[in-house]
Amino acid sequence: MITSNILIFVMGGMTFLFAFSYFKDAAIEVFKKELATKESHESIWPKLFKVFLVDWLICILGVLVTGTVFVVVFNLAH
C-alpha cells in the first residue's frame, strides 16, 4: 500500500531527476562541441565512462536526499 510518505519521497526523487536532466542537457551540448574539435577519439571512452559513473552516483544520492528532504519537510509542516 502506498502511503503519503512514499508518494512524497517519489515526488521528491522525480523532482531531482527532472532538474538534473536540464543540467545534463547543457553539459551534453558542451561535450558535443568538445568532441567536434578533437581529432583523436581514443581518450573519449574512458572519459565518458567516468562521467557515467559520476552521474549515476549523483542521481542515486540526489534522489535519496531530495526524497528524504521532501518527506521531512512534509512531516514537519503537517
Side-chain angles (χ1 to χ4, degrees):
M1 182 166 186
I2 296 178
T3 64
S4 61
N5 284 342
I6 292 173
L7 186 62
I8 295 293
F9 181 85
V10 169
M11 287 174 52
M14 295 302 287
T15 301
F16 174 81
L17 290 176
F18 182 74
F20 188 69
S21 68
Y22 279 110
F23 167 74
K24 286 310 295 176
D25 187 39
I28 286 172
E29 290 302 318
V30 170
F31 186 73
K32 281 181 184 177
K33 291 177 186 175
E34 180 183 338
L35 187 60
T37 60
K38 279 195 168 184
E39 292 84 21
S40 174
H41 296 296
E42 291 95 24
S43 65
I44 295 296
W45 291 109
K47 185 176 180 180
L48 281 175
F49 186 67
K50 289 177 188 174
V51 168
F52 164 74
L53 287 178
V54 169
D55 287 348
W56 183 58
L57 290 174
I58 288 172
C59 284
I60 290 172
L61 293 174
V63 166
L64 291 174
V65 170
T66 307
T68 303
V69 167
F70 271 49
V71 170
V72 167
V73 169
F74 175 75
N75 287 335
L76 287 176
H78 208 259

